[in-house]
Amino acid sequence: MWLGRAFLVLMLAFGLAACGDKFRTYNGPEVTSVQVHKSARKMYLLHDTTILEEFNVSLGKQPVGPKQFEGDFKTPEGAYYISHKNPKSQYHLSLGVSYPNPRQVEFARSQGKSPGGDIFIHGGPPRPVDRWDWTAGCIAVTDKEMELVYSMVNSGTVIHILP
């Protein structure tokens, strides 16, 4: 009888450990910039010129070219900063990207359109998708990878999104 209870307690402990907390602690070198290389589908977290972490990424459904308008399914290109952290993202965790800048807003308005917004680095889709590039313009990694990115990158960090 006690063996059965011990086994049950052990299984419960392993089950709870597997659930884990999505908020990790990071104590390494500061991430001074993030680089996304769209054509290579790579994201790098850097401390000065040293790569701390490298990730494969998914992009907007139309990955070639810079985002110009709301609904174009393109990922922006240019220099931005991480605007905020979103612990309650519908995509596990997310980091806001400061798109659009004033020049991009002005261009879109001159064309009678909205530049869009709500660009994030975020976790994987809530359901399986049938293509590599699946976002509406965001940069996506797996949920487990996003936990690490979220712990390492602070608001205000520069992000360079390259073609």
Side-chain angles (χ1 to χ4, degrees):
M1 177 90 162
W2 69 269
L3 190 57
R5 285 186 184 166
F7 179 75
L8 186 58
V9 169
L10 189 59
M11 293 308 293
L12 182 60
F14 280 123
L16 290 174
C19 291
D21 185 7
K22 67 181 182 178
F23 300 104
R24 295 186 189 183
T25 301
Y26 174 71
N27 295 315
E30 176 187 10
V31 174
T32 55
S33 68
V34 176
Q35 285 189 11
V36 175
H37 296 250
K38 288 173 55 175
S39 61
R41 306 297 189 283
K42 295 284 187 183
M43 179 172 69
Y44 303 94
L45 306 185
L46 295 104
H47 174 77
D48 297 329
T49 59
T50 302
I51 296 172
L52 301 173
E53 294 289 339
E54 173 183 334
F55 304 93
N56 293 320
V57 297
S58 294
L59 303 170
K61 293 177 190 176
Q62 302 295 325
V64 178
K67 181 166 196 62
Q68 294 181 305
F69 310 115
E70 183 174 17
D72 64 10
F73 293 98
K74 293 185 176 192
T75 300
E77 295 175 2
Y80 304 96
Y81 62 91
I82 300 302
S83 59
H84 65 286
K85 290 184 162 193
N86 181 5
K88 296 182 180 181
S89 172
Q90 67 181 13
Y91 296 102
H92 194 56
L93 294 167
S94 62
L95 300 173
V97 176
S98 65
Y99 173 88
N101 64 35
R103 189 180 90 265
Q104 292 162 324
V105 171
E106 184 179 321
F107 173 75
R109 287 188 180 154
S110 76
Q111 303 300 304
K113 297 184 179 185
S114 166
D118 287 336
I119 301 298
F120 289 87
I121 301 170
H122 61 65
R127 63 187 188 294
V129 293
D130 62 355
R131 59 185 295 162
W132 179 252
D133 292 317
W134 58 271
T135 77
C138 295
I139 300 153
V141 295
T142 69
D143 287 350
K144 285 294 180 195
E145 290 169 335
M146 191 61 218
E147 291 173 9
L148 181 60
V149 172
Y150 193 90
S151 73
M152 292 178 72
V153 179
N154 294 315
S155 295
T157 301
V158 173
I159 176 170
H160 298 278
I161 306 174
L162 308 168

